[in-house]
Amino acid sequence: MAASSLSISNVPIVAWAIWILLCGNYLDYALHQLVNVAASGSISDLQLEQAKALQETGWWPSSSNISSACDWDGITCNAGGSVTSIDRSYNGFGGQLKLNFSFFPDLVSLNLSGNNLHGHIPLEIGMLKNLTSLYLYSNMLVGPLPTTLVHLTNLEFVYLDENKINGSIPSEIGMLKNLTFLSLSLNMLVGPIPSTIGHLTNLRNLYLDGNKINGSIPPEIWMLKNLTILYLSSNMLVGPIPTTLGHLTNLKRLYLSQNKINGSIPSEIGMLKNLTTLYLDSNMLVDPIPSTIGHLTNLEKLYLDGNKINGSIPPEIGMLKNLIFLSLSSNLLISPIPTTLGHLTNLEYLDLSQNKINGSIPPEIGMLENLTTLYLHSNMLVGPIPFIWDNLTYLEYLDLSINYLTGSIPYHEHNLYWVKHVNLSHNFLSGDIPVALGTAAVGRLLSLDLSYNNLTGHIPPSLIKIKEINLSHNSLKGQIPDGFDKHHKSHTLIGNMDLCGQFKIFPPCPKRKKSIATKIEIFAPITTFLGFCVIGGILFSRCVFKENQLELRKSKNGNIFSIWNYDGHIAYEDIIEATEDFDIRYCIGTGGYGSVYKAKLPSENVVALKKLHQREAENPVFFRSFINEVRVLTEIRHRNIVKLHGFCVHKGCRFLIYEYMERGSLFCVLRNVDEAMELDWSKRVNIIKGTAHALSYMHHECIPSIVHRDISSNNILLNSEFQAFISDFGTAKLLDPDSSNQTLVAGTYGYIAPEFAYTMTVTEKCDVYSFGVVALEVLMGRHPGELLSSLSSSSSQNMMLNEILDQRLPPPNRLIGQDILLVATVAFACLHTQPKSRPTMKCVSQEFLSRKKPNVIPLTTVLLPQLRKQATYMAGSGFAYC
Ligand SMILES: *[C@@H]1O[C@H](CO)[C@@H](O)[C@H](O)[C@H]1NC(C)=O
Ligand SMILES: *[C@@H]1O[C@H](CO)[C@@H](O)[C@H](O)[C@H]1NC(C)=O
Ligand SMILES: *[C@@H]1O[C@H](CO)[C@@H](O)[C@H](O)[C@H]1NC(C)=O
Ligand SMILES: *[C@@H]1O[C@H](CO)[C@@H](O)[C@H](O)[C@H]1NC(C)=O
Ligand SMILES: *[C@@H]1O[C@H](CO)[C@@H](O)[C@H](O)[C@H]1NC(C)=O
Ligand SMILES: *[C@@H]1O[C@H](CO)[C@@H](O)[C@H](O)[C@H]1NC(C)=O
Ligand SMILES: *[C@@H]1O[C@H](CO)[C@@H](O)[C@H](O)[C@H]1NC(C)=O
Ligand SMILES: *[C@@H]1O[C@H](CO)[C@@H](O)[C@H](O)[C@H]1NC(C)=O
Ligand SMILES: *[C@@H]1O[C@H](CO)[C@@H](O)[C@H](O)[C@H]1NC(C)=O
Ligand SMILES: *[C@@H]1O[C@H](CO)[C@@H](O)[C@H](O)[C@H]1NC(C)=O
């Protein structure tokens, strides 16, 4: 519209008037132009000068229209043809910022972020009197903030983060009364924060983190009532946090980490009711945590570690029902752990290590069902380790080392079967090492440190497969299990007086009669397994095939039926009754090699049943898939992998019992308009992340690792909350170092990695590729096949990321936009044609987990070819968490 009204600017005035009469609805524009004509005498002069000034930057092709820049890429003009907005963000432009600003009196927005611009910010920037938005972040700009900047009193948004700007923040900054968003993070600013910052009463977001700012925080900051986000971390700020902080009642995130802030945490902190994130770690704070902290009921992350906080942990902390991360480590806390901690049921990360906490570990810790990390090491805890494992099914990291814990290592059938790293060293634990610990360890436990205790008995043979183990300085005795020396060095056993064999530091074992010796050798592992299966009710693959050795529950008609992983009762008869013997009415879908039924049990619980069809049950290929699925799913457990509750296997009865997924497959949800709309951006991002975590677990935490081989939107199921669960392990393969990885084709067309066609070799990278396809499919709302084949063609060169996103959803907001950008970049990295260049799922998963400061790149500025380049770079070296 603007362009069409501009194009008539050369037509004589008379014709103009007629045009105005004819096109009344353009009257406003027309009048505006007349005013401009009257004011400047010549529109085209300014237009010409602007086009010329822009052209001189070299940021546009030389073939551009030299009489007006209005139709150039990234340029917006007002009705008078004068440039109001310049957006050349993320183009990789280098060199100096040498645009002659004197020609742009109407410029409202200047966006040159994400380039490679060097040199100073020109003083002439002060001529852009109408500027409201200044985006220069992620460049290499140096020198101090130009003094002329403070004349731009219309400025609302200033993003100068990630440059090399030095000098101090000028006190004149207080003149920018309209500022709502100021980011100077990650520069080299020095000197104190000027007190005039208190004049910026409209400020909502203030980011000054990652500089070398010193002095104390000016009291005026605590008067900026509209602040919702305040980042001052990683500077050299000193002095206390004043009580006036209580005025910032709108504050949602407060980051003061890594400074030299001293004094106590004021009790007024309790007034910041909207706070979700509070980082005060790595400072010099003293005195106890105020009990008013309990008022911050919206708090999700609380980091107070690395201070000199003393006193006891206030029981009121138990009121922070939304807390997910709590770190109080490396302080001077005393007294026992309050039992109220058991109320924090959303907690995933609890770190109280390196304090002087005494008393015993409260059993209430056992209520924290979502806990993945429990660090209580280096304290003065006494008494036995309570039986807390029942509910801690997601626990991955457990460190209770360097305390005064006594008693034996508690265990149970459900004990520790999720855990990866256990450190109980430097305590006074006694008794035997539980066999179950080792058995559970077959697939999951990566490190186990039990050194410096008083453990007795033999070393369970099952421990030898744990990657890192330390049993030194205990009272273990007897023969070291066979093969221990192949996996571990002698120092992992040193300091156990009564061990024998294998290593030179121990005496040889006394000779036994041969027959007995072999008997022990052969039966020890089997009894271990059986013991575990029977005690624990957990079936490992080896158990499944030894049907006769297993005490599986038999139904009345002799079917072998096994249930575990399930907190109720299911009887074979219940299932037959619930589905009226697999009546078609209960069938909800047909999968790779069978049909899926929905069964409502007498307990009102709903389960899904996958039944192998009669004909297929007789086909050895399908039967193998079925058994394979049982094999794999009994070994693994992850919050994004569908849970197998049990199975039935016998002539005429071949079905698997799963947890029921209300929303069905991702494929179907994406193809149903209503459901696809319900699947908003944050749900979609969570689905992709969840899938990545599950794959990372299968590839990197299972031994041998498991390759799914058929990752597709069909095989990702969604529960009522749209959380993702990988299913259908019929084609999954255990990558055994000893057996061939060559295989038959498996997988779904459109998701299979290209190299598979010619190598026929399965590696984890096949799943990585399929994951990339699924991730794009979730963002696009449809299979990305066409896009992938068009990417190399010229038609896609100007395609923006936002154009490929599912158009049925409203465009993502800025925050979730950053997640989408990350997911898209990762997806393209996963789709690299060279398997070697794809990232591992571990990298992907960790990239997704990393706590990142949200940055601010709008998707409308991201070109697909650029994104792919970035993806290649990331896979090459840029994945920060590999
Ligand atoms: C250049 O832009 C002006 C003003 O928008 C227009 O009148 C002219 O036709 C354009 N010239 C070319 C070659 O596109
Ligand atoms: C910008 O243009 C004006 C007018 O032509 C000129 O006087 C000035 O020197 C130029 N500034 C720079 C930095 O080139
Ligand atoms: C700035 O914007 C105002 C309206 O917001 C407009 O009247 C004026 O022409 C623009 N340019 C300058 C140089 O003030
Ligand atoms: C806190 O947040 C809510 C909702 O975002 C908002 O309505 C309220 O004004 C904020 N401030 C206070 C002091 O509660
Ligand atoms: C805090 O640090 C400042 C500056 O280093 C010092 O002057 C002051 O005495 C300290 N206050 C407390 C309570 O330690
Ligand atoms: C655990 O986390 C999930 C989401 O990840 C949440 O839905 C659930 O309520 C949490 N469990 C408890 C006991 O709070
Ligand atoms: C597990 O959680 C339930 C319900 O939250 C609780 O009643 C039970 O005591 C917990 N078990 C342990 C061992 O803490
Ligand atoms: C270790 O346990 C043995 C047997 O229970 C006991 O005799 C011994 O005193 C214990 N040693 C230590 C250091 O606790
Ligand atoms: C099969 O793949 C796994 C994992 O990539 C690898 O460790 C193993 O050595 C491979 N086995 C053979 C025989 O190539
Ligand atoms: C760049 O400026 C344009 C125009 O104001 C704006 O729409 C866009 O969001 C800005 N880009 C970034 C990266 O903020």
Side-chain angles (χ1 to χ4, degrees), residues 706-709 731-735 740-744 746 755-756 759-767:
I706 298 166
V707 180
H708 185 284
R709 297 208 294 159
T731 55
K733 189 162 165 62
L734 307 177
L735 283 190
S740 163
N741 291 339
Q742 296 261 323
T743 183
L744 294 171
E755 75 276 9
F756 191 75
T759 64
M760 299 301 272
T761 303
V762 189
T763 68
E764 291 91 343
K765 294 295 175 74
C766 303
D767 280 353

Side-chain angles (χ1 to χ4, degrees), residues 543-846:
C543 308
V544 176
F545 300 107
K546 294 175 188 140
E547 283 175 16
N548 349 346
Q549 295 173 19
L550 278 175
E551 283 191 36
L552 291 171
R553 240 184 281 171
K554 290 206 177 189
S555 69
K556 282 178 201 147
N557 58 6
N559 282 327
I560 294 171
F561 182 64
S562 173
I563 293 291
W564 69 97
N565 245 343
Y566 186 76
D567 50 0
H569 264 289
I570 315 179
Y572 175 76
E573 288 74 18
D574 293 340
I575 283 175
I576 298 301
E577 205 169 302
T579 57
E580 301 181 31
D581 200 7
F582 295 100
D583 189 282
I584 187 82
R585 279 183 295 142
Y586 299 91
C587 181
I588 52 172
T590 303
Y593 58 85
S595 296
V596 182
Y597 296 81
K598 177 178 174 181
K600 193 165 177 189
L601 302 172
S603 61
E604 294 292 301
N605 287 347
V606 179
V607 294
L609 306 167
K610 182 147 113 185
K611 184 175 186 287
L612 207 53
H613 298 143
Q614 193 57 42
R615 192 153 26 94
E616 283 151 359
E618 286 158 16
N619 179 335
V621 175
F622 287 113
F623 184 63
R624 231 181 350 241
S625 299
F626 176 88
I627 290 300
N628 197 29
E629 184 150 11
V630 174
R631 227 166 94 95
V632 170
L633 280 179
T634 45
E635 288 233 0
I636 63 180
R637 218 178 120 105
H638 188 272
R639 64 171 84 190
N640 295 105
I641 293 176
V642 73
K643 223 190 258 167
L644 187 63
H645 287 319
F647 66 92
C648 177
V649 51
H650 194 251
K651 271 214 174 87
C653 149
R654 274 164 189 169
F655 62 83
L656 303 168
I657 309 164
Y658 293 104
E659 63 185 316
Y660 178 68
M661 293 290 153
E662 289 83 351
R663 295 290 186 161
S665 77
L666 175 60
F667 178 88
C668 294
V669 169
L670 286 177
R671 272 145 194 89
N672 174 318
V673 175
D674 292 336
E675 286 193 297
M677 301 269 289
E678 216 177 317
L679 200 59
D680 61 28
W681 290 118
S682 80
K683 291 191 183 104
R684 290 186 191 215
V685 166
N686 282 339
I687 286 173
I688 296 168
K689 289 184 176 175
T691 307
H693 299 325
L695 284 171
S696 166
Y697 163 75
M698 286 160 56
H699 291 176
H700 301 283
E701 285 163 30
C702 295
I703 303 170
S705 57
I706 298 166
V707 180
H708 185 284
R709 297 208 294 159
D710 195 8
I711 292 296
S712 73
S713 55
N714 254 315
N715 290 336
I716 292 171
L717 302 181
L718 305 178
N719 69 4
S720 57
E721 283 148 26
F722 291 103
Q723 285 160 334
F725 293 80
I726 298 182
S727 76
D728 214 330
F729 284 74
T731 55
K733 189 162 165 62
L734 307 177
L735 283 190
D736 226 318
D738 309 325
S739 71
S740 163
N741 291 339
Q742 296 261 323
T743 183
L744 294 171
V745 181
T748 304
Y749 179 75
Y751 296 86
I752 303 174
E755 75 276 9
F756 191 75
Y758 49 88
T759 64
M760 299 301 272
T761 303
V762 189
T763 68
E764 291 91 343
K765 294 295 175 74
C766 303
D767 280 353
V768 175
Y769 183 90
S770 311
F771 167 78
V773 178
V774 171
L776 274 191
E777 183 176 355
V778 172
L779 295 185
M780 295 172 64
R782 61 198 149 84
H783 190 278
E786 265 174 48
L787 174 75
L788 294 180
S789 51
S790 76
L791 273 182
S792 37
S793 76
S794 57
S795 66
S796 72
Q797 292 309 304
N798 293 322
M799 211 184 275
M800 296 290 184
L801 176 55
N802 64 314
E803 291 170 30
I804 66 163
L805 295 182
D806 193 344
Q807 301 297 323
R808 294 172 294 186
L809 290 188
N813 66 29
R814 211 182 67 212
L815 208 61
I816 194 75
Q818 297 319 297
D819 268 327
I820 290 175
L821 181 61
L822 175 64
V823 166
T825 314
V826 166
F828 279 115
C830 293
L831 290 169
H832 203 286
T833 44
Q834 290 299 327
K836 261 194 227 142
S837 304
R838 291 173 207 149
T840 63
M841 286 315 297
K842 189 171 187 172
C843 296
V844 171
S845 161
Q846 288 179 354

